[in-house]
């Protein structure tokens, strides 16, 4: 059983790697690359959120708050205080993890709608602070963020790079970087899910009381996964800030939080590959619908509703079940 | 000093009464179907916008209001029939996403019909403000409070004195048992959405002259109503009213005495503090969890 899980884990990772590295064959211009980079960064955030929502069964409607904190910490430290990107990202993620720990202990005692309300409130409070501390954040107008740097080497959308003999422009280099980050994010998440912690989390999702009865320290594990998902969000927020080169408090806003949770639910709660698909679909949809101009919002809402009504388990799990059924039927017919 | 305080209190009670009506809408639907309807704020928006545009077309105010409430009511029923009912077995989060989808859908339609600009609505009666101990009270505030009070009393009577009201209560307590004694639970659920939409749209109409109205006011007002409902304890009518008024007053005081930039943060901090000490809100029932 465990062996099979390991194989599936590896299989998913290989499939994802193949898709990510084959994708450039279909990307024709910097705009495509930028979109794909954004997708990868957001997908990694959602993979982290899925640990909380999909595996531990705890709703967060305020996750963009942590994403925004990471983005702003990086923005402020690199532009105002001249820090290098990596220390800013790491220190930011640690601080956000501590914030999540402090906030998480009391609110994770709440359940269902009360928990969603509390997380929503936390997200809102963070967004309001970012909006109002103008001296630090530039207020609603936002603030510029310098290019990403590692050991003095700069990754900028406007640069040009040489990687193993390949000539890459800035957009292509950023995409490759984001793709690797996503793979690492998935790999780490899979390892967590497969560890004793992951099993404890799934038991919390099943029945918290039952988990407690068999000796699982549910409060501790819930806090832990809350912190981990917040760290994911913070780190990805930092990268997002560097990639965009400019951030506004919207990155911490309610719309972003809703987008994240929707990606998890639409793609398929508890399925790492599913939530990545959710991120891709929800990031692509506005691009596709932009052709319909005024109808864009209406159609987006309608598609969201219809998908959730007819595929309540999410896109990928529904597709997998359907394919599985058909294969079984086929196998049965041949026998 | 006192005049200032009184002024903030008036503002707080007026906006709080609106929050209370929205929270009652949440409560009603939550009780009947255990769904938190994130599209609740859109009923307010539809009420306000439809009234404004109908009166602009020359329809008399009273008729415009009736038509707007009817429109919102139809919307409520459609929402239950075509979005909530088909997904009856879904997860809490899935249902949340469905109602969010519905709210985006309705907002998109409103934007198509009414555009993105703000609309102004006339006060119901005189524009002349009333002076009390040095504080100024907009006459529309009295309308908000009066109609709010009538709706609350009406709801109480509806639930305690009418068969339909009792049927809704029975369904909320135990759906299977309600069905066994012959209550058509599907009809009851539709009714809950209808009443909730009516409440929301009336709130949206009476408050529109004070706050103005536009296609996207539903988001923030809906969220505040949700906050009020959770402060009071989801599912408690009394809690919704108290939570709404409390939220409105605290917000107005915070805006006046602390900082208007942070008034929303105060509202959201309040919910955290309340839930920290009372995980089921002020009036929430103690629920024994079955394993």
């Amino acid at each position: 059983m465990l062996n099979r899980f390991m194989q599936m884990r590896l299989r998913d990772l290989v499939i994802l790697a193949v898709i990510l590295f084959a994708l450039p064959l279909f990307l024709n211009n910097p705009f495509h690359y930028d979109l794909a980079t954004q997708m990868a960064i957001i997908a990694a955030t959602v993979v982290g959120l899925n640990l909380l929502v999909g595996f531990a069964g705890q709703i967060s409607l305020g996750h963009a708050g942590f994403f925004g904190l990471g983005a702003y910490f990086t923005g402020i430290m690199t532009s105002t205080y001249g820090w290098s990107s990596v220390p800013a990202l790491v220190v930011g993620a640690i601080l956000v993890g501590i914030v999540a720990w402090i906030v998480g202990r009391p609110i994770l005692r709440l359940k269902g709608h009360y928990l969603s309300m509390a997380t929503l409130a936390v997200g809102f409070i963070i967004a309001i602070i970012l909006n109002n501390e103008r001296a630090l954040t530039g207020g609603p107008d936002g603030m510029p963020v310098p290019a990403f740097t590692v050991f003095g080497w700069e990754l900028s959308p406007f640069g040009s790079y040489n990687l193993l003999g390949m000539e890459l422009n800035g957009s292509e280099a950023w995409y490759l970087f984001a793709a690797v980050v996503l793979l690492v994010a998935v790999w780490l998440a899979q390892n967590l899910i497969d560890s004793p912690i992951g099993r404890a989390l799934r038991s919390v999702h099943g029945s918290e009381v039952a988990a407690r009865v068999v000796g699982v320290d549910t409060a501790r594990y819930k806090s832990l996964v809350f912190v981990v998902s917040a760290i994911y969000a913070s780190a990805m927020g930092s990268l997002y800030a560097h990639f965009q080169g400019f951030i506004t408090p919207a990155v911490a806003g309610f719309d972003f939080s809703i987008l994240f949770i929707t990606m998890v639910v639409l793609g398929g709660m508890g399925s790492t590959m599913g939530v990545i698909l959710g991120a891709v679909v929800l990031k692509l949809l506005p691009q596709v619908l932009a052709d319909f101009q005024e109808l864009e919002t209406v159609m987006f809402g309608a598609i969201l509703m219809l998908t959730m009504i007819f595929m309540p388990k999410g896109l990928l799990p529904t597709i997998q079940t359907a394919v599985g059924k058909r294969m079984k039927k086929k196998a049965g017919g041949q026998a | 000093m006192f005049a200032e305080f009184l002024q903030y209190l008036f503002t707080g009670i007026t906006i709080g009464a609106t929050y209370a009506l929205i929270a009652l809408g949440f409560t009603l639907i939550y009780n009947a179907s255990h769904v938190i309807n994130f599209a609740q704020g859109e009923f307010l928006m539809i009420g306000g916008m439809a009234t404004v545009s109908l009166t602009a077309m020359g329809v008399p105010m009273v008729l415009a209001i009736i038509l707007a409430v009817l429109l919102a009511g139809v919307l409520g029923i459609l929402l239950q029939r075509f979005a909530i009912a088909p997904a009856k077995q879904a997860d809490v989060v899935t249902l949340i996403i469905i109602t969010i989808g519905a709210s985006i859908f309705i907002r998109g339609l409103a934007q198509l019909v009414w555009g993105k600009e703000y609309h102004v609505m006339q006060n119901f009666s005189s524009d002349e403000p009333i002076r009390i101990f040095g504080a100024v009270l907009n006459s529309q505030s009295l309308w908000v409070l009066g109609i709010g009070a009538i709706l609350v009393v009406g709801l109480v009577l509806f639930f305690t004195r009418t068969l339909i009201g009792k049927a809704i209560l029975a369904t909320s307590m135990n759906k299977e048992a309600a069905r066994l004694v012959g209550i058509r639970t599907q009809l009851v659920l539709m009714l809950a959405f209808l009443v909730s939409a009516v409440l929301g749209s009336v709130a949206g109409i009476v408050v529109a002259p004070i706050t103005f109205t536009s296609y996207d006011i539903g988001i923030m007002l809906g969220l505040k109503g949700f906050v009020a409902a959770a402060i009071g304890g989801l599912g408690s009518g009394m809690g919704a009213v108290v939570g709404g008024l409390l939220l409105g007053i605290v917000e107005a005081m915070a805006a006046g005495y602390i900082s208007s930039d942070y008034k929303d943060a105060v509202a959201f901090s309040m919910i955290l503090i309340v839930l920290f000490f009372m995980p089921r809100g002020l009036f929430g029932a103690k629920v024994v969890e079955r394993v």
Side-chain angles (χ1 to χ4, degrees):
Chain A
M1 179 64 198
L2 194 69
N3 222 338
R4 241 193 87 208
F5 188 78
M6 295 276 285
Q7 279 171 5
M8 269 175 59
R9 213 170 86 185
L10 199 65
R11 191 198 66 189
D12 281 358
L13 210 56
V14 169
I15 292 175
L16 185 64
V18 169
I19 293 173
L20 284 171
F21 293 118
L23 197 61
L25 297 173
F26 305 94
L27 303 174
N28 302 320
N29 56 46
F31 173 70
H32 288 172
Y33 275 99
D34 288 355
L35 195 62
T37 307
Q38 277 190 33
M39 270 181 205
I41 294 175
I42 303 270
T45 315
V46 175
V47 165
L49 178 58
N50 183 43
L51 293 172
L52 178 71
V53 182
F55 287 99
Q58 310 296 310
I59 308 167
S60 172
L61 295 186
H63 231 61
F66 300 126
F67 188 83
L69 278 184
Y72 269 91
F73 187 80
T74 294
I76 293 166
M77 292 325 267
T78 54
S79 68
T80 315
Y81 295 97
W83 282 32
S84 184
S85 303
V86 177
L89 183 148
V90 172
V91 175
I94 292 171
L95 288 178
V96 169
I98 293 171
V99 171
W101 178 258
I102 295 169
V103 174
R105 289 299 283 200
I107 67 174
L108 287 167
R109 289 186 313 158
L110 303 168
K111 288 191 178 60
H113 294 301
Y114 290 100
L115 177 64
S116 62
M117 183 72 246
T119 50
L120 185 148
V122 170
F124 255 103
I125 291 168
I126 294 172
I128 291 166
I129 293 172
L130 293 177
N131 241 313
N132 286 315
E133 293 308 311
R134 290 182 184 81
L136 218 52
T137 64
D141 297 333
M143 67 181 293
V145 181
F148 189 76
T149 51
V150 196
F151 303 120
W153 180 80
E154 192 179 278
L155 183 59
S156 149
F158 310 106
S160 75
Y161 304 90
N162 190 319
L163 185 82
L164 309 170
M166 283 188 299
E167 282 298 322
L168 299 177
N169 65 35
S171 295
E172 291 162 346
W174 250 109
Y175 169 72
L176 278 185
F177 176 53
V180 171
V181 167
L182 176 58
L183 282 173
V184 173
V186 169
W187 180 73
L188 287 175
Q190 285 180 331
N191 274 301
L192 186 80
I193 295 160
D194 196 26
S195 71
I197 298 172
R199 281 192 290 279
L201 288 177
R202 267 170 285 162
S203 75
V204 171
H205 195 179
S207 162
E208 200 174 329
V209 180
R212 224 177 299 153
V213 168
V214 296
V216 177
D217 185 351
T218 53
R220 202 180 126 231
Y221 283 115
K222 280 199 290 183
S223 300
L224 183 76
V225 75
F226 191 65
V227 169
V228 170
S229 69
I231 288 176
Y232 262 85
S234 171
M236 291 309 120
S238 294
L239 285 187
Y240 189 80
H242 278 304
F243 173 67
Q244 295 286 12
F246 195 87
I247 42 173
T248 66
V251 292
F254 182 58
D255 288 351
F256 247 59
S257 287
I258 292 301
L259 189 66
F260 288 155
I261 190 89
T262 308
M263 285 168 172
V264 171
V265 181
L266 187 87
M269 273 190 282
S271 157
T272 303
M273 296 293 269
V275 301
I276 295 174
L277 179 67
V280 170
V281 169
L282 280 177
K283 206 72 191 129
L284 268 186
L285 205 52
Q287 306 297 330
V288 179
L289 294 179
D291 288 344
F292 297 93
Q293 291 178 359
E294 302 214 303
L295 281 174
E296 187 191 326
T297 322
V298 182
M299 290 178 71
F300 185 80
I303 291 172
L304 199 57
M305 259 194 300
L306 292 174
T307 323
M308 292 325 303
I309 292 170
F310 294 108
M311 301 180 170
K313 293 259 170 274
L315 289 172
L316 195 65
T318 309
I319 295 169
Q320 280 170 338
T321 318
V323 171
K325 257 186 202 155
R326 180 161 299 178
M327 294 225 305
K328 223 177 238 167
K329 218 182 224 172
K330 221 174 175 183
Q334 278 166 355
Chain B
M1 247 338 246
F2 179 67
E4 207 176 37
F5 175 79
L6 205 60
Q7 186 68 64
Y8 299 147
L9 192 66
F10 287 160
T11 316
I13 291 177
T14 307
I15 194 78
T18 322
Y19 293 160
L21 289 182
I22 312 169
L24 274 175
F26 272 116
T27 302
L28 209 67
I29 289 182
Y30 179 78
N31 269 343
S33 60
H34 285 269
V35 172
I36 284 290
N37 174 25
F38 271 84
Q40 188 69 24
E42 309 316 323
F43 295 141
L44 270 89
M45 180 271 291
I46 292 287
M49 294 296 272
T51 309
V52 169
S53 65
L54 284 171
T55 44
M57 282 158 63
V59 180
M61 185 79 142
V62 177
L63 187 61
I65 290 176
I66 293 171
L67 287 175
V69 172
L70 280 178
L71 178 66
V74 169
L75 203 68
I77 291 178
L78 291 177
L79 181 66
Q80 200 278 331
R81 280 275 63 150
F82 294 107
I84 308 294
K88 49 187 176 293
Q89 295 304 330
D91 230 66
V92 170
V93 217
T94 307
L95 280 167
I96 288 180
I97 307 286
I98 290 174
T99 58
I100 287 173
S103 108
I104 295 174
F105 179 76
I106 298 170
R107 215 178 306 146
L109 283 182
Q111 197 188 321
L112 274 181
V113 178
W114 290 304
K116 283 189 171 183
E117 57 278 356
Y118 272 87
H119 296 257
V120 186
M121 192 152 112
Q122 291 298 312
N123 270 356
F124 286 5
S125 46
S126 123
D127 284 333
E128 203 59 34
I130 304 154
R131 291 178 190 284
I132 305 169
F133 298 118
V136 180
L137 183 65
N138 185 335
S139 69
Q140 187 67 25
S141 294
L142 294 178
W143 280 102
V144 175
L145 290 176
I147 291 178
I150 291 171
L151 284 177
V152 170
V153 173
L155 267 184
V156 171
L157 292 177
F158 174 69
F159 278 118
T160 51
R161 298 287 164 84
T162 68
L163 204 59
I164 304 173
K166 285 175 185 164
I168 294 184
L169 278 185
T171 308
S172 80
M173 280 166 193
N174 190 333
K175 215 158 147 188
E176 286 311 309
R179 196 173 303 155
L180 284 176
V181 295
I183 295 170
R184 291 167 63 188
T185 51
Q186 272 308 312
L187 203 69
V188 165
L189 289 178
M190 246 162 67
L191 210 68
F193 274 78
L194 170 72
V195 177
S196 174
V198 167
L199 275 178
S201 60
V202 171
I205 293 166
V206 290
V207 83
I210 300 174
T211 59
F212 305 128
T213 183
S214 85
Y215 80 103
D216 61 353
I217 55 151
I219 310 171
M220 205 52 183
L221 282 173
L223 281 174
K224 291 289 179 60
F226 184 15
V227 171
I231 288 176
L234 286 176
S236 154
M238 179 70 168
V241 174
V242 174
L245 289 173
L246 199 64
L247 181 64
I249 293 170
V250 169
E251 226 181 68
M253 295 291 165
Y257 289 115
I258 304 171
S259 140
S260 59
D261 286 342
Y262 276 102
K263 83 173 167 52
D264 289 339
V266 169
F268 288 109
S269 309
M270 194 166 126
I271 177 91
L272 286 179
I273 294 167
V274 169
L275 290 182
F276 183 73
F277 292 107
M278 300 177 181
R280 293 200 164 268
L282 295 174
F283 293 83
K286 274 213 174 67
V287 174
V288 179
E289 197 179 341
R290 261 181 291 178
V291 186

